[in-house]
Amino acid sequence: MKLSDRKKQILKAVVDDYIQTAEPVGSRTVVVRMETPVSSATVRNEMAELENLGYLEQPHTSAGRVPSNLGYRMYVDELMERYHLTGADLAEVQKALKFRMRELDRLIFEAGKMVSELTHHAAIALTPVADTESIRRFEVIPVDKTTVVLILVTTTDQIRNRICRLNVPLSGLEISAANRALNAYFTNIPLHDMNGDRIARAESETGAEITELLVAAIDFAADVLRRILNREVYLSGATQLLQYPEYRDVDRARALLDCLSDRETVVRLPEPEPGETIRVSIGEETGVQALDDVSVVVTSYEAGHGARGLLGVVGPTRMDYARVCARLQKFSEGLSQILNEQQRNG
Amino acid sequence: MKLSDRKKQILKAVVDDYIQTAEPVGSRTVVVRMETPVSSATVRNEMAELENLGYLEQPHTSAGRVPSNLGYRMYVDELMERYHLTGADLAEVQKALKFRMRELDRLIFEAGKMVSELTHHAAIALTPVADTESIRRFEVIPVDKTTVVLILVTTTDQIRNRICRLNVPLSGLEISAANRALNAYFTNIPLHDMNGDRIARAESETGAEITELLVAAIDFAADVLRRILNREVYLSGATQLLQYPEYRDVDRARALLDCLSDRETVVRLPEPEPGETIRVSIGEETGVQALDDVSVVVTSYEAGHGARGLLGVVGPTRMDYARVCARLQKFSEGLSQILNEQQRNG
DNA sequence: GTTAGCACTCTAAGGCATCGAGTGCTAAAG
DNA sequence: CTTTAGCACTCGATGCCTTAGAGTGCTAAC
């Protein structure tokens, strides 16, 4: 069934008011928010119908109405006004974005913090993952006789390093040989091809004395790839959640925070559909029990090389969707820009 | 004034009980905890005196007594039994420590998480800082014509990298020249000596075309040193705080969490005195307003090269000091061991 | 110095009346 | 047929009172 215009207007008024006050909304309150003037009785009738249709709920008789998750869904899909970013808003976003950093992980972490500050909600940030990530380049740097630093650069330009102590000292020549072998045999291959076979082949061309180093390097590379494919999860501004009246109940707040700190839960949150840039999950739509009464707004950002990261906001179901969506989207656009620009030049 | 043995016994009983129950302790409860049997009336008299002396407090007439911060102080300094780690405790600590990682920052972060799990309190971890940190080695790795990776190793064996895009392409020869210059002029010098003078001297020996790269490298080195000298702060298990009845009040909990998330506050917390390995700060002793009603237990760990990091626990003033101290100390010993072993061999 | 006993204090908890916001329904007006 | 005014009704929130119980301080006896 299609809602009448007036019903939509009333539903919108209820959501708008409830977003601001977190108190059940009565018919009188709705009247003052309506454009076309009607009496509270009319509104009452309409609200009773909206309740029957499942868009509103009553905590108890003689309280006002509260939007149901279906109501929020309708609001997000059809009713919500495109939030107009004010000059101050934009300035804030810009300012936050100007603070750019080189290291990807750190950048993403900082981005999460910024989003949290920008939206006044808890934020989650997931590092980008390209499905075809591999190692682009190895470098072995001698530090002292039995110590080398292993450096590797991935196809998405992430750099990782590890100190490696050797039981048998290696000469400079041997180290460069190992270096060459690593770059010849182990670059641009997928994780599952980094196996013993290949190590044996590389070894046969250089000599057994570098096996220790080779194995350590491959080990490290595999570690790094595995970790990159298991995207990192950052949670910021968790205390923001405590400011909302719905989490005055410490037990609820705690359950929620614990859930958000759990990597496994977070990586399973619904992402934007292919082609979409933003995805709003209301209440149970998140598919996670403990998140049944919060909403999650997620955008994806481009990190170059086809890699996509995620940036999201977690707040009460009555969050100001219009504002949050606008800011989040703007921010993720900016982030994509920075990441791609960084990639093209410097 | 010196407390009588019986007073001490009573004070200890009150603290012990209050630590467990978080409820004011009445005279009857104390009697059952006493070794030498006395009547509740006697205990009442003694408790009244202890209150006059400032060791106990009464939330209101006709509630039981609660230890004052002075009372906790006395408890920690004299009364507390050396907590005996059970086999299970030890096993837990061992297990946690076995999980070792190579990268220092990550290791410290994980250590914080472990401490939080081990003590069931919020934990703070600060990365070690040596007062004489400098760069031990530079390495410049060409990636493509205008892109190089800068790597540097610090005197405490921390490794950092940054991608650097050049406006003017450099040849392999030029890059190695820059590499040599960096290692010749900018290793093992303190941060404040990395100035224009020295850049000019290095440049005069090599040629102006590498200036861009030199400047970028020095810039990066200075950044890294500055950041290392500003120790990183990690907070873990913050939600643990929410489990204690004293933080059922969300506003208090939030103020506390916000305060602990603030780097500036955390680095100012009292550290163990030189020579000591552990420092207990009770209530106002932390010197931070917002932490007036929590206690902080801090140990330091050795990270080699004379660098010391900090590892601490934040909980209600009625925390189980004996248990927390024991576990924290054990853990930091283990951490020191790992860090030094890692340094010697590998 | 210790203890039993007792009056006293103060909070927590339950019961109860009151208040008021908000509803649903009805009947009249448009 | 829709809208509106009016009114009775519902139900949580608030405040007040009472009661129960835990714990104290004091006094007098041992």
Side-chain angles (χ1 to χ4, degrees):
Chain A
M1 175 205 166
K2 204 83 177 58
L3 292 186
S4 71
D5 270 4
R6 193 170 63 190
K7 281 208 182 55
K8 285 187 184 173
Q9 213 182 120
I10 289 174
L11 178 55
K12 178 169 179 308
V14 172
V15 177
D16 280 336
D17 195 86
Y18 188 64
I19 280 176
Q20 280 179 29
T21 63
E23 299 285 315
V25 186
S27 50
R28 198 134 77 258
T29 325
V30 171
V31 169
V32 304
R33 275 187 175 267
M34 297 272 291
E35 294 169 23
T36 50
V38 285
S39 80
S40 66
T42 312
V43 172
R44 277 203 289 284
N45 290 331
E46 295 280 50
M47 281 167 86
E49 276 189 68
L50 281 169
E51 185 174 348
N52 282 334
L53 294 169
Y55 293 100
L56 293 180
E57 282 167 0
Q58 233 179 343
H60 50 91
T61 0
S62 103
R65 302 297 208 295
V66 160
S68 69
N69 288 347
L70 184 62
Y72 285 123
R73 175 45 63 199
M74 167 64 86
Y75 179 82
V76 169
D77 289 344
E78 300 192 29
L79 275 29
M80 163 170 106
E81 285 162 34
R82 202 167 147 9
Y83 185 85
H84 195 71
L85 291 168
T86 66
D89 285 336
L90 269 176
E92 227 180 313
V93 173
Q94 302 288 356
K95 197 186 113 217
L97 278 174
K98 250 172 60 188
F99 174 31
R100 44 186 277 183
M101 306 188 67
R102 297 289 174 149
E103 296 115 287
L104 187 67
D105 277 17
R106 212 176 181 85
L107 175 62
I108 301 308
F109 175 65
E110 293 292 339
K113 282 214 308 220
M114 290 176 203
V115 166
S116 165
E117 278 160 29
L118 233 41
T119 59
H120 303 292
H121 289 285
I124 46 180
L126 282 78
T127 50
V129 11
D131 32 8
T132 57
E133 190 91 33
S134 62
I135 304 296
R136 196 163 96 179
R137 186 178 171 80
F138 284 85
E139 200 74 28
V140 184
I141 303 177
V143 175
D144 57 42
K145 260 185 294 187
T146 57
T147 313
V148 299
V149 176
L150 299 169
I151 312 281
L152 39 89
V153 184
T154 74
T155 37
T156 53
D157 271 344
Q158 304 192 49
I159 310 172
R160 295 299 143 91
N161 60 61
R162 177 183 282 182
I163 290 195
C164 173
R165 321 274 167 167
L166 301 168
N167 293 321
V168 210
L170 290 182
S171 69
L173 273 179
E174 287 166 326
I175 286 181
S176 7
N179 209 341
R180 269 193 308 278
L182 284 168
N183 280 296
Y185 286 92
F186 296 95
T187 49
N188 303 312
I189 59 167
L191 173 56
H192 60 260
D193 277 354
M194 294 191 171
N195 49 26
D197 260 26
R198 210 172 263 262
I199 296 185
R201 280 208 334 258
E203 212 181 309
S204 67
E205 289 208 11
T206 48
E209 57 283 355
I210 62 164
T211 308
E212 185 189 7
L213 180 53
L214 277 189
V215 170
I218 307 305
D219 213 57
F220 178 40
D223 250 29
V224 165
L225 286 182
R226 259 191 296 270
R227 194 172 299 157
I228 288 180
L229 294 174
N230 280 326
R231 32 182 30 167
E232 297 282 333
V233 174
Y234 301 106
L235 172 66
S236 314
T239 58
Q240 299 278 4
L241 285 167
L242 297 179
Q243 95 185 264
Y244 295 99
E246 29 274 274
Y247 307 109
R248 313 268 1 152
D249 178 7
V250 176
D251 292 320
R252 247 174 95 185
R254 179 150 196 251
L256 180 58
L257 287 179
D258 282 345
C259 172
L260 289 176
S261 317
D262 176 29
R263 194 185 159 284
E264 294 309 309
T265 309
V266 175
V267 296
R268 278 187 184 72
L269 290 174
E271 307 181 11
E273 306 287 336
E276 303 272 307
T277 60
I278 201 157
R279 163 101 180 231
V280 181
S281 303
I282 299 164
E284 311 91 28
E285 293 174 10
T286 52
V288 181
Q289 178 95 51
L291 300 183
D292 267 7
D293 41 35
V294 298
S295 285
V296 182
V297 182
V298 177
T299 55
S300 62
Y301 57 87
E302 297 294 326
H305 301 283
R308 283 170 92 222
L310 297 176
L311 207 48
V313 160
V314 181
T317 45
R318 62 165 188 95
M319 77 166 84
D320 188 340
Y321 294 98
R323 204 175 118 259
V324 167
C325 288
R327 295 199 158 194
L328 197 52
Q329 185 139 21
K330 202 91 206 148
F331 192 89
S332 98
E333 277 167 25
L335 187 58
S336 300
Q337 228 167 25
I338 286 188
L339 286 172
N340 288 296
E341 166 189 325
Q342 176 172 328
Q343 191 187 349
R344 270 197 307 280
N345 52 58
Chain B
M1 175 208 165
K2 203 81 176 63
L3 293 186
S4 72
D5 271 3
R6 194 170 59 190
K7 280 207 183 54
K8 286 186 182 172
Q9 215 182 120
I10 290 175
L11 178 55
K12 179 168 177 312
V14 172
V15 176
D16 280 337
D17 195 85
Y18 188 64
I19 280 176
Q20 279 178 28
T21 63
E23 299 285 316
V25 185
S27 50
R28 198 135 75 258
T29 324
V30 171
V31 170
V32 304
R33 275 187 175 267
M34 298 271 292
E35 293 169 24
T36 50
V38 285
S39 80
S40 65
T42 313
V43 173
R44 277 202 290 282
N45 290 333
E46 296 280 48
M47 280 167 87
E49 276 189 69
L50 281 169
E51 185 174 348
N52 282 335
L53 293 169
Y55 292 100
L56 294 179
E57 282 167 1
Q58 235 178 341
H60 53 258
T61 3
S62 104
R65 301 298 208 297
V66 160
S68 68
N69 288 345
L70 184 62
Y72 285 123
R73 175 45 63 200
M74 166 65 86
Y75 179 83
V76 169
D77 290 345
E78 300 192 28
L79 273 30
M80 163 170 106
E81 285 161 34
R82 199 167 149 12
Y83 184 85
H84 195 69
L85 291 169
T86 66
D89 285 336
L90 269 174
E92 225 179 317
V93 173
Q94 301 289 356
K95 195 184 115 219
L97 279 173
K98 249 172 60 189
F99 176 29
R100 42 187 279 186
M101 306 189 67
R102 297 287 172 150
E103 298 113 287
L104 186 67
D105 277 16
R106 208 172 183 89
L107 176 62
I108 301 309
F109 175 65
E110 294 292 338
K113 282 215 306 221
M114 290 176 203
V115 166
S116 165
E117 278 161 28
L118 232 42
T119 59
H120 302 292
H121 288 285
I124 46 179
L126 283 78
T127 49
V129 11
D131 32 6
T132 58
E133 190 91 32
S134 61
I135 304 295
R136 195 162 97 179
R137 185 177 173 82
F138 284 86
E139 199 74 27
V140 184
I141 303 177
V143 175
D144 57 41
K145 261 185 292 188
T146 57
T147 313
V148 298
V149 176
L150 299 170
I151 312 280
L152 38 88
V153 184
T154 74
T155 38
T156 53
D157 271 344
Q158 303 191 49
I159 309 171
R160 295 298 143 92
N161 59 63
R162 176 181 283 182
I163 289 195
C164 174
R165 321 274 167 167
L166 301 168
N167 293 320
V168 210
L170 289 182
S171 70
L173 273 178
E174 285 165 326
I175 287 180
S176 5
N179 208 341
R180 270 194 306 278
L182 283 168
N183 280 298
Y185 285 92
F186 295 96
T187 50
N188 303 312
I189 60 167
L191 174 58
H192 60 261
D193 277 355
M194 294 192 173
N195 48 26
D197 260 27
R198 210 172 263 260
I199 296 185
R201 282 213 326 264
E203 213 181 309
S204 69
E205 289 208 11
T206 49
E209 57 284 354
I210 63 164
T211 310
E212 185 188 7
L213 180 53
L214 278 188
V215 170
I218 308 304
D219 213 57
F220 178 40
D223 250 29
V224 166
L225 287 181
R226 261 193 295 271
R227 192 172 301 156
I228 288 180
L229 295 173
N230 279 327
R231 33 182 29 167
E232 297 282 333
V233 174
Y234 301 107
L235 172 65
S236 315
T239 58
Q240 299 278 3
L241 285 167
L242 297 180
Q243 94 184 264
Y244 295 98
E246 29 275 272
Y247 306 108
R248 314 273 353 157
D249 179 7
V250 176
D251 292 322
R252 250 175 92 184
R254 179 149 196 250
L256 180 59
L257 287 179
D258 281 346
C259 172
L260 289 176
S261 317
D262 176 30
R263 196 185 158 283
E264 293 311 307
T265 309
V266 175
V267 297
R268 280 189 183 73
L269 290 174
E271 307 181 10
E273 306 286 338
E276 303 272 307
T277 61
I278 201 159
R279 164 100 181 233
V280 181
S281 304
I282 299 164
E284 311 91 29
E285 293 174 11
T286 51
V288 181
Q289 178 96 52
L291 300 182
D292 267 6
D293 41 34
V294 299
S295 286
V296 182
V297 183
V298 177
T299 54
S300 62
Y301 58 87
E302 295 294 327
H305 300 281
R308 281 170 94 223
L310 296 176
L311 207 48
V313 161
V314 181
T317 45
R318 62 166 188 96
M319 78 166 84
D320 187 339
Y321 294 98
R323 203 175 118 261
V324 168
C325 289
R327 294 199 160 196
L328 197 53
Q329 186 139 20
K330 203 91 207 148
F331 192 88
S332 98
E333 279 167 23
L335 187 58
S336 300
Q337 228 168 24
I338 286 188
L339 286 171
N340 288 297
E341 166 189 325
Q342 177 173 328
Q343 192 190 345
R344 273 196 304 280
N345 52 60

